[in-house]
Amino acid sequence: MKRQYTVIDEAGLHARPVSLLVAKASSHPNEITMWYKDKPYTMKSILMIMSLSVQQHDQFSIEVQGDNAEEILDSLEAILKENKLAS
């Protein structure tokens, strides 16, 4: 299952909310991938996600594979929305 988002935060994807996303992704055994500029990156590495320097207005997708994919994706999306990071 995959969903696309647009960054709305002026600072782009920054450390505090990204750390929450990575912690949530790491708490599941599923393969969780962030697609940015048509390339896949693991959502379980804060260094990987921060190194992308995703800016305001950039688009990215999150893909979750395996059991409970929709539930996991919903929980990641909640973090994005609660932190006003992406829509």
Side-chain angles (χ1 to χ4, degrees):
M1 173 167 276
K2 188 175 186 178
R3 293 185 193 155
Q4 185 169 324
Y5 302 95
T6 301
V7 178
I8 58 175
D9 191 301
E10 290 180 357
L13 293 185
H14 52 95
R16 191 183 59 77
V18 169
S19 68
L20 298 173
L21 287 169
V22 169
K24 178 59 81 176
S26 296
S27 71
H28 298 284
N30 303 58
E31 184 174 329
I32 302 173
T33 306
M34 178 177 165
W35 289 84
Y36 180 62
K37 296 186 177 180
D38 296 322
K39 294 182 183 173
Y41 303 93
T42 180
M43 285 284 299
K44 297 184 179 185
S45 168
I46 192 166
L47 293 176
M48 176 68 67
I49 302 304
M50 292 304 301
S51 72
L52 300 175
S53 297
V54 180
Q55 301 298 310
Q56 184 181 31
H57 306 298
D58 286 353
Q59 293 186 336
F60 66 96
S61 296
I62 297 176
E63 181 178 28
V64 180
Q65 297 180 4
D67 295 337
N68 303 319
E70 185 171 9
E71 178 184 319
I72 295 167
L73 195 49
D74 287 346
S75 67
L76 293 169
E77 185 173 301
I79 292 169
L80 290 171
K81 291 185 179 198
E82 288 168 8
N83 288 277
K84 297 178 176 62
L85 201 58
S87 62

